[in-house]
Amino acid sequence: FTEVALVDSLVLCFAAYAARAWTVTNSTDHSLETAGSFKETASAVDSGSISKTRRKRYISENDMIAILDYHNKVRGRVFPPAANMEYMVWDETLAKSAESWASMCIWDHGPQYLLRFLGQNLSVRTGRYRSILQLVKPWYDEVKDYAFPYPQDCNPRCPLKCYGPMCTHYTQMVWATSNRVGCAINTCHNMNVWGSVWRRATYLVCNYSPKGNWIGEAPYKVGVPCSACPPSYGGSCSNNMCFPGVTSNYLYWFK
């Protein structure tokens, strides 16, 4: 197979209204905040608190750790530095919703009923790959087209401008308050990717909460790292990120 990597940069040409801002429904504009089926008490894990579970998962332990560690590495090294960047943890509920969508093998965002509540990044690849990060890194690579604090040319708007470089995968990765992520990977056969049928495709879905990419807002506050952390973190800071001091709700996702 020819090695090809694509990142979904399709922009849906409409906007959804939220109570405090407008948000465009594109690759990372959907998140989960207060949906009844996704509660704040949902358990999460960091990469140092993982054991194995018996249920078959759509992602391996190694891939999960790699994705989570890469997000936190990127989040801790943003420039200009962030005053309120929160450490990201793994969330089982988000991972399960990603599993459900990845199993559909549809190269588009979904499901629609959840897109009001959660952020979502997609990536697909055909051919051999050595690391799951080959599907994740293109999201970060959008940083070269991003001008802090707001996307400009990298944020195409329909109907006047429906094509061009994207930044919203990157900004979802580094949105300060998006502190939970859950991903799934699936091998899809005969998957339709923008009109081409891929006989064998590796499909990655990552869901985020709370939502990021609020239009008119910067992804984080600029300042001395950890100088504007939410009080719930109790002043704990690690690698330039607000670090959760309480681990009693961590879920041991793998047994």
Side-chain angles (χ1 to χ4, degrees), residues 72-146:
N72 280 316
K73 178 181 177 181
V74 168
R75 290 166 71 84
R77 296 182 180 181
V78 292
F79 185 84
N84 66 327
M85 185 65 69
E86 299 181 37
Y87 183 83
M88 186 172 278
V89 297
W90 191 266
D91 186 277
E92 181 189 26
T93 305
L94 292 173
K96 285 181 177 178
S97 66
E99 284 183 6
S100 296
W101 188 245
S103 69
M104 301 295 290
C105 294
I106 298 173
W107 181 235
D108 199 356
H109 294 286
Q112 288 297 320
Y113 74 92
L114 284 183
L115 294 186
R116 295 166 48 206
F117 307 113
L118 56 85
Q120 188 176 77
N121 277 355
L122 308 177
S123 187
V124 66
R125 182 182 182 91
T126 185
R128 299 178 182 276
Y129 69 94
R130 293 183 298 275
S131 167
I132 190 63
L133 296 185
Q134 290 176 265
L135 286 94
V136 178
K137 192 175 182 295
W139 301 338
Y140 169 74
D141 289 343
E142 294 175 356
V143 67
K144 69 182 183 300
D145 297 310
Y146 178 65

Side-chain angles (χ1 to χ4, degrees), residues 2 47 65 82 99 154 228:
T2 301
S47 61
I65 293 172
E99 284 183 6
C154 63

Side-chain angles (χ1 to χ4, degrees), residues 9 14 17 45 69 82 90 100 115 125 155 174 190 204 221 231:
S9 58
F14 63 90
Y17 181 75
V45 296
D69 284 352
W90 191 266
S100 296
L115 294 186
R125 182 182 182 91
N155 188 21
V174 301
N190 299 319
L204 175 66
K221 298 177 182 177

Side-chain angles (χ1 to χ4, degrees), residues 135-220:
L135 286 94
V136 178
K137 192 175 182 295
W139 301 338
Y140 169 74
D141 289 343
E142 294 175 356
V143 67
K144 69 182 183 300
D145 297 310
Y146 178 65
F148 188 90
Y150 310 120
Q152 296 180 13
D153 288 343
C154 63
N155 188 21
R157 304 288 181 84
C158 294
L160 297 180
K161 183 179 180 182
C162 298
Y163 302 97
M166 292 290 294
C167 294
T168 48
H169 298 91
Y170 168 71
T171 52
Q172 178 61 82
M173 291 182 77
V174 301
W175 203 270
T177 56
S178 295
N179 57 21
R180 288 177 282 156
V181 66
C183 305
I185 191 166
N186 190 31
T187 299
C188 298
H189 299 278
N190 299 319
M191 184 175 180
N192 189 318
V193 181
W194 287 329
S196 298
V197 176
W198 290 17
R199 292 171 55 190
R200 183 181 175 89
T202 302
Y203 188 27
L204 175 66
V205 178
C206 284
N207 289 340
Y208 301 82
S209 178
K211 73 164 60 180
N213 286 338
W214 291 93
I215 291 179
E217 296 186 16
Y220 56 84

Side-chain angles (χ1 to χ4, degrees), residues 6-29:
L6 291 179
V7 173
D8 179 11
S9 58
L10 175 65
V11 177
L12 304 181
C13 302
F14 63 90
Y17 181 75
R20 63 191 179 95
W22 284 88
T23 177
V24 175
T25 53
N26 60 21
S27 57
T28 55
D29 287 345

